[in-house]
Amino acid sequence: QVQLVESGGGLVQAGGSLRVSCAASGGQFSRLAMGWFRQGPGKEREFVASISRSGGITFYADSVKGRFTISRVNDKKTVYLQMNDLNSADTAVYYCAATATILTVNPPREGEEYPYWGQGTQVTVSS
């Protein structure tokens, strides 16, 4: 069973930066495509970013493109989300997700494609 644990959330000022991390255990990390999702207050869960098994393919939501960077270090079984130029719309619980699907090389952008989820880490941006 794959287990995911997020960390690094917190309170930041608008325009600031934060990096959240997701540590995986219980599986072969290099087999997993990884994704970040978020859910703001009163909002539906939305896709943020995803990364392929090797790290060679990344996708981003339009709302974060150019500001956020997803990366992974397979030797550490960890995926990161570097968030820059944060604004109030980025306030949300950020969730890490993983899938071992072999149907495509592309890392999914749909939450329903991810069977493994972390508990989430709160990111609050103050103005």
Side-chain angles (χ1 to χ4, degrees):
Q1 186 177 71
V2 175
Q3 296 184 80
L4 305 173
V5 180
E6 301 96 334
S7 62
L11 176 65
V12 297
Q13 288 284 129
S17 298
L18 197 67
R19 187 180 75 166
V20 291
S21 302
C22 174
S25 63
Q28 187 170 342
F29 187 70
S30 61
R31 294 180 179 174
L32 301 172
M34 305 294 296
W36 284 100
F37 294 78
R38 67 187 183 186
Q39 187 169 21
K43 299 179 180 179
E44 296 292 317
R45 181 186 64 196
E46 66 175 347
F47 168 76
V48 176
S50 60
I51 188 166
S52 62
R53 294 162 180 80
S54 67
I57 305 171
T58 57
F59 295 134
Y60 296 93
D62 288 342
S63 59
V64 307
K65 195 172 299 180
R67 298 189 298 121
F68 290 11
T69 303
I70 188 171
S71 62
R72 66 191 294 162
V73 180
N74 284 356
D75 288 348
K76 297 182 178 180
K77 297 184 177 181
T78 302
V79 63
Y80 304 95
L81 185 68
Q82 177 67 46
M83 301 179 287
N84 298 326
D85 194 24
L86 288 161
N87 58 68
S88 60
D90 298 315
T91 293
V93 177
Y94 284 72
Y95 296 94
C96 176
T99 178
T101 182
I102 59 173
L103 298 179
T104 178
V105 175
N106 295 323
R109 289 167 280 191
E110 304 83 14
E112 57 267 28
E113 295 295 325
Y114 289 90
Y116 307 111
W117 293 82
Q119 295 297 309
T121 186
Q122 176 71 49
V123 173
T124 303
V125 183
S126 63
S127 301

